[in-house]
Amino acid sequence: MRFSKLFAITSKEEPKDCVLKSHKYLIRGGFIKQIGSGIYNFLPLGKIILNKVIKIIKEEMDKSGANELSLGFVTPAELWIKSQRYDKYGKELLKFKDRKENPFVLGPTHEEAIVECVKGEVKSYKQLPLNLYQINLKFRDEIRPRFGLMRGREFLMKDAYSFHANKEDLDREFELMEATYKSIFRRLGVDFRVVEADSGAIGGSGSKEFMLLAPSGEDSIVICQKCEYAANIEIATRAFKRVDSPAPKAEFAKFHTPNVSNIKDLSEFFKVDSYYLLKCVAKKAVFASGESAKLCGTSVDSNKSADSTDSAKLGDSTDSATITNNSTHEICFFFLRGCDELSHTKALNAIPNAIDLIDLDSSELEAIGLPAGFIGAYGLRNITNAKYIFFDRELEDSADLICGANERDYHFVGVDLSKFQGLEYRDLLEVKEGDLCPKCGGTLGLTKGIEIGHIFKLGDRYSRALEASFLDKDGKAKLFEMGCYGIGVSRILPAILEQKADESGAVWGDLAPFEVDIVISNIKNEAEVEFANNLYENLKKCGIEVIIDDRDVRFGSKMADFELIGFKNAIIVGKALNNGKIELVRRKTLEKLQLDSNIPLQDLLELVRL
Ligand code: ATP
Ligand code: MG
């Protein structure tokens, strides 16, 4: 490749609105160009790297026995209605109609499409297992597309879906995919961790994320400093907390606590560790809009419609549920120890079919007779008729607690949860740095990561919804057990740069767009041009990916571009050629090596391949 012929528009200007270095370098280095919010063109240099990433993923997926196919990007809405995700997936799902008023979605993920593809074709257990993958576009109408390719609306994903006759075989494939992903990310040369994760809107059980470690990562990961335990903070657990400070032993009694309405003040007022205080967090759960019912004339979402009717009924008889714009809101309560914080994901997972949890203000609490800052466990269900009241599992049967009395300026002491009937306990708290590992008791630390891959066990969630079955050995129809396995292919580019780029520009390791950039210092110097051209031809013949910077621009600009784009090595052919010398610069370290211009080709190859 001759640089003069390459469509690479590099720029010294700081692009606007780039928070992350990866975003800045991908734009300045001429790898990508934005065409709309969260939508990017890949320019030639970006496409070269993308292709290298795709090649590695494809080789490893093929090695695992998976088959590549390509599913339509546009999916009929009907499939999403059947799977009950049309309403539930949220606003990220882009919905539209064709000229005949038929509804469609732009695939944000393809479970429905793949089940529809396999359904009826795989009839017997003898055709199983099967793992099908594609490397294809996805569209998610992200609320805040940002950081360039990191969180695009249109992006490239490798998504694989496996089909099995039973759970044991799904477990085997899940492990195979974990091993395959590890090989892929090792070959991509990134530092990553496999962490336990939430299953999110896709549903199912058993879920692991592949996190590239980078300080700018949006995800927080909990890592044990002693053992292998690693989990996304969304679902991380800890060994139950214990404290040395004495419990506030007291007979059950109501206490006047004027204006003492937060944990810190309460802890000081009673001179007790916040561990012994019962904190209540009130939220509003949001349930789906039931839009699919409008499309079908009737709801095909049996769970959802049942749930919505339930909530509506509650709304009639109590104040805890309201209906706005067809979506149902319901007030719910979560109790934790005063020293702990509520995990949004865990709280959301506690409420069946809720699609979000949102804050509510004190006036909404007052409206249902609750004084903010004084909410407690006694009589809460009677006062509010709330359907969802949960206690953190670490509180199970705890005594010697202090909690709000559901009356302004009053708290109860001597609270004993074992005396309550039918409390529902869930894992609700967010793990903190310094908590203890649930596996080995070691200390837990927090670090930041970028999610580059995610594998799930789906079970029969989708085969059931879309009625996809096969005939098992005993001749009986059975639903497919399924797994799904995603890699954020386009996100890998910025993720690598977040880990490796330096102050001068991109560093790609082995994914660099070219292995060698021959920089001709002065293209008016015939000796330099002739030497560089010969070297270029020789390296090409040896299979080296080589670009020759033959542009009529200043030497300084050529070197700045070498550093910005991140070619793996530069060979500078300049004035020193008169003295029989050329120079090799390694991009990663910017280390410079003086070489004899007549260095044997084999020796040069060894140096650039290092
Ligand atoms: P995130 O938590 O980052 O929003 P996700 O958990 O919703 O991602 P998955 O459904 O697990 O994403 O999709 C598989 C992979 O696709 C993710 O691991 C991630 O690498 C990538 N990905 C997801 N959303 C985006 C996006 N908006 N832009 C680029 N890549 C994405
Ligand atoms: Mg994910």
Side-chain angles (χ1 to χ4, degrees):
M1 169 61 72
R2 293 194 167 264
F3 211 135
S4 55
K5 302 266 181 285
L6 179 69
F7 181 53
I9 319 126
T10 57
S11 155
K12 285 197 196 104
E13 310 254 312
E14 282 287 309
K16 277 192 227 122
D17 306 325
C18 286
V19 185
L20 296 186
K21 61 180 177 182
S22 58
H23 188 186
K24 189 169 76 180
Y25 292 148
L26 283 171
I27 299 218
R28 281 189 49 209
F31 296 96
I32 57 169
K33 186 167 178 180
Q34 186 167 14
I35 187 168
S37 167
I39 309 177
Y40 289 86
N41 296 325
F42 277 85
L43 303 182
L45 282 173
K47 187 71 171 90
I48 289 172
I49 299 173
L50 194 64
N51 285 345
K52 290 189 175 196
V53 172
I54 290 173
K55 181 169 180 281
I56 291 176
I57 296 176
K58 182 168 164 43
E59 280 173 11
E60 294 297 325
M61 286 303 292
D62 290 346
K63 202 158 56 170
S64 78
N67 300 187
E68 187 175 5
L69 48 52
S70 182
L71 300 165
F73 180 31
V74 174
T75 313
E78 187 197 340
L79 296 176
W80 279 70
I81 294 171
K82 271 193 197 156
S83 72
Q84 302 175 8
R85 282 208 291 184
Y86 190 75
D87 297 328
K88 230 182 190 178
Y89 200 87
K91 293 220 162 95
E92 277 76 40
L93 185 64
L94 188 72
K95 303 165 176 172
F96 61 96
K97 288 186 178 164
D98 69 4
R99 62 169 78 195
K100 294 179 187 150
E101 292 291 301
N102 294 317
F104 290 90
V105 304
L106 274 190
T109 170
H110 280 79
E111 286 77 9
E112 289 79 357
I114 198 83
V115 172
E116 189 63 15
C117 173
V118 164
K119 186 177 162 178
E121 306 296 339
V122 176
K123 297 191 173 83
S124 156
Y125 72 94
K126 290 182 194 150
Q127 292 163 278
L128 295 172
L130 186 63
N131 190 340
L132 302 170
Y133 79 96
Q134 61 169 347
I135 296 174
N136 220 338
L137 285 179
K138 297 280 175 271
F139 193 93
R140 296 183 182 179
D141 201 356
E142 299 272 356
I143 184 163
R144 284 203 301 147
R146 58 192 186 281
F147 310 143
L149 297 180
M150 196 74 92
R151 184 165 300 283
R153 293 199 298 161
E154 182 186 272
F155 61 98
L156 198 62
M157 196 199 281
K158 188 286 296 174
D159 44 333
Y161 307 88
S162 67
F163 294 81
H164 308 273
N166 52 51
K167 287 199 163 49
E168 294 67 43
D169 199 51
L170 168 60
D171 291 348
R172 179 204 49 75
E173 187 73 16
F174 190 79
E175 275 174 30
L176 175 63
M177 281 297 111
E178 180 174 344
T180 302
Y181 274 37
K182 283 181 180 164
S183 308
I184 290 171
F185 295 127
R186 265 186 226 121
R187 283 184 64 188
L188 289 173
V190 297
D191 187 8
F192 68 97
R193 292 281 182 290
V194 188
V195 308
E196 290 177 22
D198 183 51
S199 301
I202 293 181
S205 65
S207 154
K208 286 189 178 178
E209 285 167 344
F210 294 76
M211 291 286 183
L212 177 141
L213 302 183
S216 60
E218 284 189 288
D219 283 274
S220 294
I221 325 169
V222 173
I223 297 183
C224 176
Q225 283 159 11
K226 220 164 122 196
C227 76
E228 290 290 278
Y229 180 73
N232 191 310
I233 191 144
E234 292 178 344
I235 60 119
T237 57
R238 68 180 185 196
F240 283 17
K241 192 180 173 95
R242 300 273 173 263
V243 291
D244 293 333
S245 62
K249 298 263 177 221
E251 287 295 309
F252 180 69
K254 191 151 93 179
F255 241 82
H256 190 214
T257 51
N259 293 323
V260 183
S261 59
N262 63 47
I263 293 294
K264 186 169 163 281
D265 291 352
L266 199 60
S267 166
E268 279 167 15
F269 184 90
F270 283 108
K271 299 196 174 38
V272 296
D273 197 309
S274 57
Y275 177 84
Y276 297 107
L277 306 177
L278 200 54
K279 169 155 92 184
C280 177
V281 183
K283 293 270 178 191
K284 264 190 302 194
V286 183
F287 297 93
S289 66
E291 212 184 320
S292 60
K294 275 189 258 158
L295 281 177
C296 307
T298 164
S299 175
V300 291
D301 180 345
S302 50
N303 283 349
K304 179 52 61 201
S305 58
D307 191 78
S308 313
T309 338
D310 269 12
S311 311
K313 270 197 215 127
L314 261 177
D316 290 337
S317 59
T318 77
D319 289 318
S320 73
T322 47
I323 302 174
T324 31
N325 293 335
N326 276 339
S327 76
T328 316
H329 289 178
E330 184 148 350
I331 298 182
C332 40
F333 300 92
F334 302 94
F335 285 92
L336 307 122
R337 291 191 187 276
C339 54
D340 292 326
E341 300 300 329
L342 183 69
S343 153
H344 179 87
T345 305
K346 292 178 181 179
L348 183 60
N349 287 345
I351 302 195
N353 291 318
I355 56 170
D356 200 5
L357 279 181
I358 51 177
D359 289 337
L360 77 175
D361 55 45
S362 50
S363 62
E364 289 172 276
L365 287 172
E366 311 273 336
I368 54 168
L370 288 176
F374 299 92
I375 305 177
Y378 286 90
L380 188 59
R381 203 177 291 277
N382 288 343
I383 298 168
T384 63
N385 236 326
K387 195 169 166 190
Y388 302 112
I389 302 177
F390 295 106
F391 290 76
D392 183 65
R393 62 180 183 162
E394 291 196 25
L395 285 165
E396 189 148 7
D397 292 341
S398 292
D400 305 321
L401 298 169
I402 296 173
C403 80
N406 293 327
E407 189 182 335
R408 181 165 309 284
D409 293 342
Y410 284 94
H411 280 86
F412 287 123
V413 297
V415 175
D416 182 351
L417 292 182
S418 69
K419 303 237 165 85
F420 285 71
Q421 295 279 307
L423 294 190
E424 291 197 61
Y425 292 100
R426 296 280 190 288
D427 177 17
L428 296 175
L429 62 81
E430 185 164 290
V431 168
K432 292 194 185 86
E433 184 130 38
D435 282 343
L436 302 183
C437 174
K439 293 233 164 101
C440 76
T443 306
L444 295 174
L446 276 180
T447 187
K448 290 284 181 189
I450 300 171
E451 183 189 323
I452 47 174
H454 199 166
I455 57 176
F456 300 82
K457 290 180 194 170
L458 296 171
D460 62 9
R461 159 79 178 83
Y462 292 93
S463 51
R464 182 178 295 281
L466 296 165
E467 294 160 358
S469 58
F470 64 98
L471 284 185
D472 207 356
K473 270 188 192 134
D474 54 10
K476 289 199 180 127
K478 256 181 88 177
L479 296 169
F480 294 109
E481 289 290 330
M482 287 179 62
C484 82
Y485 318 93
I487 292 183
V489 181
S490 46
R491 181 181 281 183
I492 285 174
L493 273 63
I496 289 177
L497 293 187
E498 285 308 315
Q499 199 167 72
K500 300 188 179 199
D502 59 19
E503 306 72 51
S504 325
V507 178
W508 297 104
D510 287 340
L511 297 177
F514 289 89
E515 288 170 279
V516 175
D517 172 26
I518 301 176
V519 179
I520 308 173
S521 174
N522 174 7
I523 61 151
K524 305 217 164 67
N525 180 318
E526 279 175 22
E528 285 181 25
V529 172
E530 192 188 333
F531 181 91
N533 276 332
N534 276 336
L535 182 62
Y536 173 64
E537 292 304 331
N538 286 335
L539 288 175
K540 253 199 330 189
K541 271 187 215 138
C542 299
I544 295 283
E545 293 163 3
V546 54
I547 182 164
I548 181 164
D549 198 342
D550 56 347
R551 294 173 300 166
D552 188 7
V553 297
R554 282 186 315 109
F555 172 68
S557 301
K558 293 185 181 185
M559 289 311 288
D561 279 350
F562 157 67
E563 290 178 13
L564 175 62
I565 293 169
F567 299 119
K568 198 167 170 204
N569 298 285
I571 296 179
I572 300 170
V573 183
K575 278 189 196 133
L577 191 65
N578 286 334
N579 309 323
K581 297 284 179 200
I582 54 174
E583 202 169 38
L584 176 79
V585 187
R586 297 191 190 287
R587 174 61 188 91
K588 188 173 164 194
T589 55
L590 293 176
E591 161 202 14
K592 291 183 178 146
L593 293 177
Q594 280 260 323
L595 307 174
D596 287 338
S597 56
N598 60 2
I599 178 174
L601 193 55
Q602 214 45 46
D603 295 356
L604 188 59
L605 288 182
E606 267 172 40
L607 283 173
V608 299
R609 279 185 173 144
L610 259 188

